[in-house]
Amino acid sequence: MTQKRGSDATLAPVHSGALHSGEGAASEGKEPRTARGRRTLRAILDAAAAEFGEKGFHEGSVSGITRRAGVALGSFYTYFDSKDAVFRALVRDMSDQVREHVAPAIRAAPEQIAAERAGLEQFIGFVRKHKEIYRIIDEAEFVDPESFRLHYQTTAERIEKRLKAAAERGEVRSDVSDVHAWAIMGMNVFLGLRYGVWSEDAEASAVADTVAEMLARGLSAK
Amino acid sequence: MTQKRGSDATLAPVHSGALHSGEGAASEGKEPRTARGRRTLRAILDAAAAEFGEKGFHEGSVSGITRRAGVALGSFYTYFDSKDAVFRALVRDMSDQVREHVAPAIRAAPEQIAAERAGLEQFIGFVRKHKEIYRIIDEAEFVDPESFRLHYQTTAERIEKRLKAAAERGEVRSDVSDVHAWAIMGMNVFLGLRYGVWSEDAEASAVADTVAEMLARGLSAK
């Protein structure tokens, strides 16, 4: 009972409803130093999400990104070394955005099953507004395998950590493991694809209820 | 109690341990008519799996496939119209191979949770021997979105059908739905990636045991 639930969640500030600041996204030595610079960087990342989400990495271009962002080509290279660099930054940025979007609901939940339920509901909601996230993260498997792997490994580790903290508090079975974490992540990814990206024919809350009921019994302390 | 468990599984003959025959894989009007032709087609599909698995679709080539298969370029075009056509055929072939590999264990299980357990264990085993399957099916999202979607939709429908048949037999809760099916598929895909492709640091049987225990309680009839 020593760990506070949600203590594993990101320590970064949560931008309520807004996009992630993009901090740390620029290429090495190119971090923006002013608020205006940070806004430009953010605009470039959002434009990159639209460009790569619509055209894919190979067809997408730096000029397409700067056109969407309404910035000069020189501004792009002020912050990023290349198309590869902005794609890599974008994968990490989207990974951060998802985490920051779901974290408050997970932290606010009264116990761990409710937390997992809230996390899934928020995730489906996020995906519905950012359908390009699947295409971008999935394409990373080919364009930038390291970012792809890092995204899923850190997500699974975060889930495992919060399950183990919940086990210490007696909220879930004591032997929760990496297998449970990967199972939950896999469920969430495919439920997000099916009920977030491909079709919105079910309420996110109803999908989350069904999963939470299965987990409540499947992971119960006894 | 009217449906036989596993009656939803493929009706195609199961090639014990061997590869799928590749039936229906050739381009329209190019189906092989002899046993020798079918063997060549099979060799081309296996070579395509190696070529695209190693190089990806864009870097992979028809000449790379024929070299690996030890067949003349003309033989390739006897059965396939193009690189796109063989890729599309390969995605469906791998989808069929997975299904045929796991079906016997699912059919042989005494009840549905044991069936899901056996299916996952067999799936991880299959993936360990065919690590290229992830790269190929995942790349289909970009190269051939229709095949990608078809693979997951038909897999989820198959799971839903067998869960509903099990519910009728009283083996799982009566309200099993598409959400449960997508959740199970998502778990299996990510557990296969983690414990089949990325690392073999856990026994497939132990991973399957953990999931089966969660499902046994999570889906129990009451």
Side-chain angles (χ1 to χ4, degrees), chain B residues 8-87:
Chain B
D8 59 297
T10 175
L11 296 173
V14 174
H15 307 267
S16 60
L19 293 170
H20 181 250
S21 66
E23 206 181 327
S27 294
E28 210 183 324
K30 294 190 170 181
E31 284 298 333
R33 290 160 194 277
T34 65
R36 187 158 173 264
R38 285 188 287 276
R39 280 196 301 276
T40 303
L41 178 69
R42 183 67 257 165
I44 292 171
L45 285 170
D46 293 343
E51 175 79 359
F52 293 132
E54 190 183 315
K55 300 191 170 178
F57 179 77
H58 295 288
E59 298 295 315
S61 66
V62 170
S63 62
I65 293 169
T66 54
R67 203 176 317 119
R68 288 174 197 262
V71 303
L73 207 59
S75 291
F76 177 90
Y77 290 104
T78 303
Y79 302 111
F80 295 103
D81 291 339
S82 62
K83 183 170 95 163
D84 282 80
V86 73
F87 184 83

Side-chain angles (χ1 to χ4, degrees), chain A residues 25-131:
Chain A
S27 293
E28 210 182 326
K30 295 191 169 181
E31 283 299 332
R33 290 161 195 276
T34 64
R36 187 159 171 263
R38 285 189 287 275
R39 281 196 301 276
T40 303
L41 178 69
R42 182 68 257 166
I44 292 170
L45 286 170
D46 293 344
E51 175 79 359
F52 293 133
E54 189 182 316
K55 299 190 170 177
F57 178 77
H58 294 288
E59 297 295 315
S61 67
V62 171
S63 62
I65 293 169
T66 54
R67 204 177 314 119
R68 287 174 197 262
V71 304
L73 206 60
S75 292
F76 178 90
Y77 290 105
T78 304
Y79 302 111
F80 296 103
D81 291 339
S82 62
K83 183 170 95 163
D84 281 79
V86 73
F87 183 84
R88 198 160 42 241
L90 178 62
V91 172
R92 294 182 194 204
D93 178 67
M94 299 220 84
S95 188
D96 289 346
Q97 280 193 51
V98 173
R99 190 183 67 234
E100 295 187 8
H101 182 83
V102 303
I106 289 178
R107 271 197 297 267
E111 49 75 44
Q112 199 57 41
I113 299 301
E116 297 304 327
R117 190 209 159 284
L120 174 55
E121 183 177 7
Q122 289 297 315
F123 176 64
I124 294 174
F126 181 87
V127 163
R128 287 181 176 179
K129 274 181 270 173
H130 301 272
K131 291 188 204 280

Side-chain angles (χ1 to χ4, degrees), chain B residues 49-216:
Chain B
E51 175 79 359
F52 293 132
E54 190 183 315
K55 300 191 170 178
F57 179 77
H58 295 288
E59 298 295 315
S61 66
V62 170
S63 62
I65 293 169
T66 54
R67 203 176 317 119
R68 288 174 197 262
V71 303
L73 207 59
S75 291
F76 177 90
Y77 290 104
T78 303
Y79 302 111
F80 295 103
D81 291 339
S82 62
K83 183 170 95 163
D84 282 80
V86 73
F87 184 83
R88 199 159 43 241
L90 178 62
V91 173
R92 294 182 193 203
D93 177 67
M94 299 220 85
S95 188
D96 289 347
Q97 280 193 51
V98 174
R99 190 182 68 235
E100 294 187 8
H101 183 82
V102 303
I106 289 178
R107 272 198 296 266
E111 48 75 44
Q112 199 56 40
I113 299 301
E116 298 303 326
R117 191 210 159 283
L120 174 55
E121 183 177 7
Q122 288 299 313
F123 176 64
I124 294 174
F126 181 87
V127 163
R128 286 181 175 178
K129 273 181 271 171
H130 303 271
K131 291 188 203 283
E132 73 282 4
I133 190 173
Y134 276 80
R135 188 166 178 165
I136 290 163
I137 290 180
D138 291 351
E139 195 163 19
E141 183 176 358
F142 305 97
V143 174
D144 181 19
E146 198 199 323
S147 296
F148 177 78
R149 201 163 163 147
L150 191 70
H151 168 68
Y152 286 121
Q153 269 176 343
T154 56
T155 303
E157 280 164 17
R158 204 160 55 238
I159 296 173
E160 184 180 350
K161 218 166 150 186
R162 72 188 186 221
L163 287 178
K164 286 187 165 161
E168 277 196 38
R169 295 191 306 271
E171 290 171 17
V172 297
R173 53 190 299 162
S174 58
D175 63 350
V176 282
S177 70
D178 53 330
V179 173
H180 294 104
W182 280 81
I184 289 174
M185 178 170 70
M187 281 192 233
N188 291 353
V189 170
F190 271 77
L191 292 166
L193 178 66
R194 168 62 184 80
Y195 301 102
V197 180
W198 284 356
S199 170
E200 301 188 9
D201 59 348
E203 294 290 331
S205 63
V207 173
D209 282 342
T210 299
V211 171
E213 209 192 325
M214 182 165 71
L215 290 180

Side-chain angles (χ1 to χ4, degrees), chain A residues 135 138-139 141-142 149 173 178-180 182-183 186-187 190 194-195 198 210 213-214 217-218 220, chain B residues 135 138-139 141-142 149 173 178-180 182-183 186-187 190 194-195 198 210 213-214 217-218 220:
Chain A
R135 187 164 178 165
D138 291 351
E139 194 163 19
E141 183 175 357
F142 305 97
R149 201 163 163 147
R173 55 191 297 162
D178 54 329
V179 173
H180 294 105
W182 280 82
M187 281 192 231
F190 272 77
R194 169 64 183 79
Y195 301 102
W198 284 356
T210 299
E213 209 192 324
M214 181 166 73
R217 299 200 286 173
S220 71
Chain B
R135 188 166 178 165
D138 291 351
E139 195 163 19
E141 183 176 358
F142 305 97
R149 201 163 163 147
R173 53 190 299 162
D178 53 330
V179 173
H180 294 104
W182 280 81
M187 281 192 233
F190 271 77
R194 168 62 184 80
Y195 301 102
W198 284 356
T210 299
E213 209 192 325
M214 182 165 71
R217 300 200 287 173
S220 71

